[in-house]
Amino acid sequence: MDYLDEKSMDINYASTYGNTYKLMKQAGKSISDFVERTIQPGKSIAIICGTGNNAGDGICCGEYLLEKYNVSVLLIKDVKGLKTQETRRAINDYNGAYYPLSSLDEVISRSDIIIDAIFGVGINGDPRKPYSEVIQNINNSGKTIISVDVPSGFPTNIQVKPDYTVTFTDIKSGMNSENSGKIIVSDIGIPEQIKSTVGPGDMVYMPISPSESHKGMNGIVGILAGWEFPGAAVMSSLSAYNVGPDLVKVFTNEVNRPIIMSYNPGIMFYPVNGKNFPDITGLNSMLIGPGMGRSKEAEDLIKYAIKNYNGQLILDADALKLITPPEVKGRNAIITPHSMEFKAFTGLEPTEENAVETAKKYGLIILLKGSKDIITDGVNIRYSYGGNSRMTMGGTGDVLAGIVAGIASRKVSPLRSASLGSFINKKCGDIAFEKFGSYYGIMDMIDNIKIIMHNKF
């Protein structure tokens, strides 16, 4: 279940229920319950808090512990520095004493137990001062340390080294006894629907391009498309481009060059034919199929590319009508069929059960398109809701496949790439529908990709 973490589920929960304070209280109760099972009453407990929801979990825990323990909450930033409304509510509801960073040495010195509530998941880069110094002080304290959800700083080079970690819902990817101490998994009451539904919280997995990047570091996409219908290459390449990779390379007929290049000069064009296929090494993802048609020449090109490209494959449209599952078995390829394409590719009815079994049998990620998209790797199943009746128009599948390819090129895992792609594609249609009703076009959807990426809906 490594596609889930507290931050993404919090956002998805809030988008459905309005806020996450109920979850925060339950997280705090889970930690306090563990403390009461493990630590005898009367001990002194320091709760070291950052500024986000992880801090709020710690503060709520402190409220529950006040009756039986000597609790000191320390805020690394002051109350004004607390970032979320839930965490600000937690400190307002807390009836104990809290201390500033200047009291760190004193608070640690008089405490028997330290609860680490500085950072949750999703940290980018090593913690900086003052956080790095606080983490060092915690690690050097010699006290029993309990981390909230994940050790603060995990998985960077500067992290708290706890004796215990009380984590929520499931163990996070990469956590083990060496970096997290004894791990206690707690159910904080997140509904199953939230766990399985794709939502705005999935946007936390989109990487941010570092300022020291150079060309190619943030993704290179290859697209073999548009052999017969060049518009498909236009739509998929523009969609891939708008999720932020550094380069998008389109491989197709030379006669299609002026059509494709007229839409975006930033797209790199490579003519191909049966005797000449440009170098496809160095790509981070490759989309194959949209608008290719089913001629013998198109089939040969598709099969050549699939055989000779060893990276992350995304297969759509005509590729799913010209190849069979055994040809991509074990490749971790992402396929994006609608119901008829699924049947053509597998010979099976397009049911959830068949999608799961096919993904498991052949080592694929399947994004089965519909009013409710089904995304599965054969073990995990996610559902993507939204969209509207106008999305039956031609091109929406090409847009989706391009979005998925662009995300995958940025080294996002295949299941997350498919999940995010589905969410963004449906959101593009919903935003266009709000503005134009049933009269929006495919380019309106493509233009909305940038809005979604910028605002992290």
Side-chain angles (χ1 to χ4, degrees), residues 82-346:
L82 298 177
K83 291 181 178 179
T84 70
Q85 63 176 4
E86 291 87 353
T87 303
R88 291 191 291 272
R89 181 174 173 183
I91 199 67
N92 287 335
D93 290 349
Y94 174 65
N95 292 308
Y98 56 88
Y99 300 86
L101 179 59
S102 58
S103 299
L104 178 66
D105 290 341
E106 176 190 348
V107 167
I108 288 179
S109 176
R110 68 170 181 249
S111 298
D112 304 299
I113 311 296
I114 297 174
I115 294 179
D116 153 39
I118 304 172
F119 297 125
V121 296
I123 188 172
N124 289 311
D126 290 342
R128 299 179 180 178
K129 293 180 179 180
Y131 300 103
S132 58
E133 294 175 336
V134 174
I135 289 171
Q136 184 178 10
N137 283 358
I138 291 173
N139 288 338
N140 292 339
S141 67
K143 307 299 175 70
T144 297
I145 302 168
I146 302 170
S147 285
V148 175
D149 198 33
V150 295
S152 289
F154 171 85
T156 71
N157 296 316
I158 301 173
Q159 72 154 79
V160 170
K161 299 175 181 177
D163 299 283
Y164 305 93
T165 298
V166 179
T167 194
F168 309 128
T169 305
D170 201 354
I171 295 176
K172 311 307 183 286
S173 180
M175 288 177 64
N176 55 50
S177 59
E178 185 177 341
N179 57 38
S180 303
K182 183 176 181 180
I183 301 171
I184 297 88
V185 179
S186 177
D187 180 0
I188 59 173
I190 296 175
E192 288 301 320
Q193 180 184 0
I194 298 298
K195 296 177 186 178
S196 63
T197 300
V198 177
D202 290 71
M203 295 297 290
V204 304
Y205 300 117
M206 278 303 303
I208 299 171
S209 302
S211 58
E212 65 274 13
S213 305
H214 57 75
K215 187 184 295 184
M217 277 183 62
N218 302 299
I220 302 175
V221 184
I223 298 177
L224 176 61
W227 189 262
E228 185 172 340
F229 303 102
V234 171
M235 291 181 283
S236 58
S237 62
L238 291 178
S239 300
Y241 189 88
N242 281 355
V243 298
D246 287 341
L247 298 171
V248 177
K249 300 181 178 183
V250 175
F251 304 91
T252 191
N253 264 327
E254 172 64 40
V255 295
N256 294 331
R257 183 192 295 266
I259 298 172
I260 294 169
M261 297 301 293
S262 68
Y263 282 89
N264 188 334
I267 303 297
M268 302 177 71
F269 186 94
Y270 294 83
V272 296
N273 56 52
K275 297 179 180 179
N276 171 35
F277 205 113
D279 183 15
I280 53 176
T281 61
L283 303 175
N284 299 114
S285 68
M286 188 167 190
L287 167 61
I288 299 172
M292 287 297 289
R294 284 179 275 175
S295 67
K296 182 63 168 63
E297 192 166 20
E299 180 178 3
D300 289 344
L301 290 169
I302 287 171
K303 292 192 172 184
Y304 175 89
I306 290 172
K307 181 179 179 181
N308 288 277
Y309 177 65
N310 295 318
Q312 181 61 61
L313 283 171
I314 298 90
L315 305 177
D316 183 50
D318 294 315
L320 300 175
K321 302 169 186 174
L322 294 171
I323 64 167
T324 60
E327 292 178 86
V328 288
K329 184 175 182 179
R331 297 283 298 276
N332 214 22
I334 302 168
I335 68 167
T336 58
H338 55 56
S339 58
M340 290 184 289
E341 290 167 345
F342 181 86
K343 192 168 185 177
F345 181 64
T346 65

Side-chain angles (χ1 to χ4, degrees), residues 3 5-18 20 193-194 196-206 382-386 416 419-427 430-431 452-457:
Y3 60 84
D5 65 36
E6 186 189 11
K7 185 176 182 180
S8 62
M9 285 190 290
D10 278 357
I11 295 170
N12 287 342
Y13 183 97
S15 73
T16 302
Y17 296 102
T20 60
Q193 180 184 0
I194 298 298
S196 63
T197 300
V198 177
D202 290 71
M203 295 297 290
V204 304
Y205 300 117
M206 278 303 303
R382 306 207 71 197
Y383 305 101
S384 180
Y385 300 89
R416 286 175 173 164
S419 299
L420 263 172
S422 176
F423 170 76
I424 293 169
N425 189 57
K426 286 181 178 290
K427 195 70 177 178
D430 287 341
I431 293 172
I452 294 166
M453 299 305 296
H454 178 68
N455 292 302
K456 298 290 192 289
F457 278 88

